[in-house]
Amino acid sequence: MSPILGLQLLLVAGGAIAVAAVARRKGWPAPLLLVAAGLLASPLVPAVPLDPELVLYVFLPPLLYSAALDSSYLRLRDAKRAVGLLSIGLVLFTAAVVGFVVHLLLPDLPLALAFALGAIIAPPDAVAAVAVGRRLGLPRRTLTLLIGESLFNDATALTAYRVAIGAFVGGTVELLHSVGEFLLAAVGGVAIGLALALVFAWLFTLTRDSLVENTLTLLIPFAAYLAAESVHASGVIAVVIVGLYLGSRMHLRGFGTRLVSDAVWQVTAFFLETIVFALIGLQLVTVIRGISGYSAWEVAGYAAAVLGATILTRFVWVFAATFLLKVVRRDGPQAPGRQQSVLLGWAGMRGVVSLAAAFAIPPEVPPRDRAMLLFLTFTTVIGTLLIQGTTFPALIRRLGVSSDQERYEDRLAEAAAQQAALEAGLAELDRLVAEQEQEPDEIQKQVIDQLREKSWRRSLTAWERLGGGTGPGGTETPSTLYRRLRRDMLQAERQVFVRLRDERRLDDEVLREVMAQLDFEEAILER
């Protein structure tokens, strides 16, 4: 990589983080603001190339792995049929419909390339939709479907894209060969993902060092992706399988590993997502520059037709799939309701994977056709992000969809679980005390009483959260009062440690140790 390109990427990263920081402070969807900022900056700055290999081999694996770690295997398993209909059925349906629409609009464009474009723009990127949905309290069921779809749909789309491009280069399409390639990608991705998941799970049993374990996790998504792609299997599926498996076994790792892992992957996902969405907008000039031989009205009409077909196709499929799930009695609970179907239909924002696939179109494709495919991909990605993305929050509010009941049920379940855990912990404490040969002395009795009090306080906190931290008349509950006063005390303690460091009465290394202890205690208070 040249120094100039490196400097460009550095400036893009810095600017993207600044824009994302503003979005977070204002409570705006960061992906949409980043795309808009990139569009505005594109004519004013030198072109920043979007390298397909950079996206597919560097950005995509850790983003998929982070999402998989944060997902629930059990919820995805419960919704497997709905997720399958979205991540496989909808992708193939979109590719077919959009392919036919493009072939009708551009009859001179080879049919294989028309279907390649359909495969390119078929997979939605749920990052923006999930970010908005979580902020506005979208029900967990809807979020699960969006996340599950985004985890697996890239694999379907990229496989269909390779088949279509292979048909264009080879000149023929063999149905059995295409089906075999699809099955190889899916089955091979699952097999490699499971194999690597077992290997890494075994490696984690050999070490209890949180720093080593979390450093190793940074290599896992790249190892899984490269291993699968090297044998023409789906790297996307392999990464997702590893992430889901290891994420479901995170409770077997040490507390230090879990604490650090959350921070590591939050920072990684935030950093990569900010760059990716900024790069999408910055491609404006590059994409437009390649279009030639068409009038402005022609290309605008083509773009509007493809965008409209993409959006409409998703609605048709979502409602048809909902009806199908309701017809099959045993799958009735999996069927989304009307409001959920509307939200799922409107949550079809496209992302950087589509653009990367378009930029990766091989040189055998004529430059004029390649430019048109890239332009239609770009306009579809931008159109869905800016049209659907900006109106998605209003749609959620309009439909009155809320997760308040789910949150209440979660708190109730947590309180009940805390009560059961409290009883088990106290029973174990009584057993340990009873096993002592001598009667506890005064100091030991104080320690035992402190353990009992801490257990009761944690259980009480869970029940108090059901009332939002307030008691009758809006007064603070004991746990809320404790947390507020203790936070102020911790701040005062920090100031003393810093003052002693500045007076050279305390070494910086000692300061870091005591500050870490205070930070962990404050983190517990926040939790």
Side-chain angles (χ1 to χ4, degrees):
M1 183 172 63
S2 66
I4 295 178
L5 178 58
L7 179 61
Q8 284 180 309
L9 292 176
L10 181 62
L11 292 175
V12 168
I17 292 173
V19 173
V22 172
R24 288 174 61 85
R25 175 168 294 186
K26 297 293 185 180
W28 299 334
L32 305 183
L33 192 63
L34 286 164
V35 170
L39 290 172
L40 294 175
S42 182
L44 307 176
V45 299
V48 182
L50 183 67
D51 187 347
E53 292 190 356
L54 180 68
V55 172
L56 296 177
Y57 287 90
V58 177
F59 287 173
L60 184 59
L63 287 175
L64 284 171
Y65 185 76
S66 175
L69 279 180
D70 198 35
S71 301
S72 168
Y73 163 73
L74 295 177
R75 289 206 304 267
L76 288 174
R77 187 184 65 182
D78 292 340
K80 58 182 178 297
R81 292 181 180 85
V83 170
L85 286 170
L86 291 172
S87 59
I88 300 176
L90 177 56
V91 169
L92 297 178
F93 182 64
T94 303
V97 172
V98 173
F100 277 117
V101 170
V102 172
H103 185 62
L104 292 175
L105 293 172
L106 300 166
D108 293 336
L109 186 73
L111 186 59
L113 291 183
F115 284 115
L117 175 63
I120 287 172
I121 64 178
D125 182 351
V127 171
V130 170
V132 172
R134 280 179 172 160
R135 181 167 54 87
L136 297 180
L138 204 61
R140 182 179 297 137
R141 169 77 177 165
T142 306
L143 290 175
T144 298
L145 293 179
L146 289 174
I147 294 172
E149 177 190 12
S150 67
L151 287 176
F152 294 100
N153 60 9
D154 289 336
T156 306
L158 291 175
T159 303
Y161 164 76
R162 290 168 184 162
V163 170
I165 291 296
F168 170 77
V169 175
T172 59
V173 179
E174 294 183 6
L175 181 60
L176 290 178
H177 180 268
S178 300
V179 173
E181 186 174 347
F182 184 83
L183 291 177
L184 171 64
V187 176
V190 171
I192 292 174
L194 285 176
L196 289 178
L198 294 174
V199 170
F200 285 116
W202 172 73
L203 287 176
F204 288 138
T205 63
L206 303 180
T207 175
R208 291 298 178 185
D209 190 321
S210 63
L211 185 61
V212 173
E213 289 185 9
N214 281 286
T215 303
L216 181 61
T217 61
L218 292 174
L219 302 178
I220 290 176
F222 302 105
Y225 194 88
L226 290 173
E229 290 293 322
S230 64
V231 295
H232 304 291
S234 173
V236 171
I237 292 180
V239 173
V240 171
I241 294 299
V242 175
L244 288 174
Y245 183 85
L246 295 181
S248 67
R249 297 172 60 86
M250 188 65 75
H251 63 282
L252 299 177
R253 316 260 286 276
F255 73 92
T257 299
R258 288 191 295 273
L259 287 174
V260 176
S261 177
D262 287 342
V264 166
W265 287 108
Q266 284 183 20
V267 171
T268 301
F270 173 76
F271 179 64
L272 294 179
E273 286 172 2
T274 54
I275 297 177
V276 161
F277 282 103
L279 283 175
I280 290 176
L282 289 172
Q283 305 310 305
L284 174 64
V285 172
T286 302
V287 170
I288 293 178
R289 188 180 298 155
I291 293 293
S292 61
Y294 300 95
S295 68
W297 287 108
E298 281 182 313
V299 295
Y302 297 153
V306 173
L307 175 61
T310 302
I311 294 175
L312 183 60
T313 298
R314 182 174 178 87
F315 269 103
V316 170
W317 182 267
V318 167
F319 279 93
T322 300
F323 176 76
L324 177 63
L325 289 175
K326 288 181 178 179
V327 168
V328 181
R329 184 187 305 175
R330 62 175 182 175
D331 293 340
Q334 290 200 22
R338 183 183 62 83
Q339 292 178 326
Q340 190 179 34
S341 297
V342 173
L343 291 174
L344 288 173
W346 197 244
M349 286 79 87
R350 269 56 183 178
V352 73
V353 173
S354 295
L355 271 183
F359 274 104
I361 292 174
E364 290 86 353
V365 176
R368 188 168 183 266
D369 292 341
R370 185 180 187 276
M372 177 55 71
L373 295 178
L374 183 57
F375 174 78
L376 293 176
T377 301
F378 180 78
T379 53
T380 301
V381 171
I382 295 299
T384 54
L385 282 172
L386 296 185
I387 295 174
Q388 294 179 295
T390 54
T391 57
F392 195 58
L395 180 62
I396 294 176
R397 297 188 184 97
R398 177 68 177 174
L399 294 176
V401 177
S402 173
S403 61
D404 291 343
Q405 181 62 29
E406 283 184 348
R407 285 199 294 267
Y408 176 80
E409 292 174 356
D410 287 345
R411 290 174 179 173
L412 188 62
E414 179 195 358
Q418 288 280 14
Q419 185 69 33
L422 164 69
E423 294 171 359
L426 292 179
E428 179 66 11
L429 179 62
D430 291 338
R431 186 186 68 80
L432 294 173
V433 172
E435 287 181 352
Q436 291 185 354
E437 296 180 357
Q438 299 178 346
E439 187 72 18
D441 57 27
E442 280 302 315
I443 295 179
Q444 291 175 334
K445 287 180 179 180
Q446 291 178 11
V447 172
I448 294 170
D449 291 340
Q450 288 176 1
L451 289 171
R452 294 182 185 277
E453 181 183 356
K454 187 172 183 178
S455 296
W456 280 110
R457 187 187 303 130
R458 187 170 65 248
S459 177
L460 181 63
T461 300
W463 288 108
E464 288 174 346
R465 261 203 299 270
L466 289 169
T470 58
T475 59
E476 285 184 306
T477 59
S479 296
T480 304
L481 176 63
Y482 175 88
R483 289 195 299 272
R484 179 172 62 82
L485 296 178
R486 185 54 186 153
R487 276 195 294 264
D488 292 340
M489 292 172 61
L490 289 172
Q491 187 59 29
E493 293 175 21
R494 287 191 183 96
Q495 293 174 357
V496 171
F497 286 124
V498 173
R499 176 174 57 81
L500 293 176
R501 189 278 309 272
D502 294 340
E503 294 174 358
R504 306 300 297 273
R505 296 164 61 186
L506 195 69
D507 188 76
D508 271 312
E509 185 174 346
V510 178
L511 175 66
R512 283 192 291 270
E513 291 178 358
V514 295
M515 291 291 274
Q517 295 173 8
L518 298 181
D519 291 342
F520 273 114
E521 183 175 351
E522 186 168 5
I524 293 173
L525 293 175
E526 291 296 324
R527 295 293 293 175

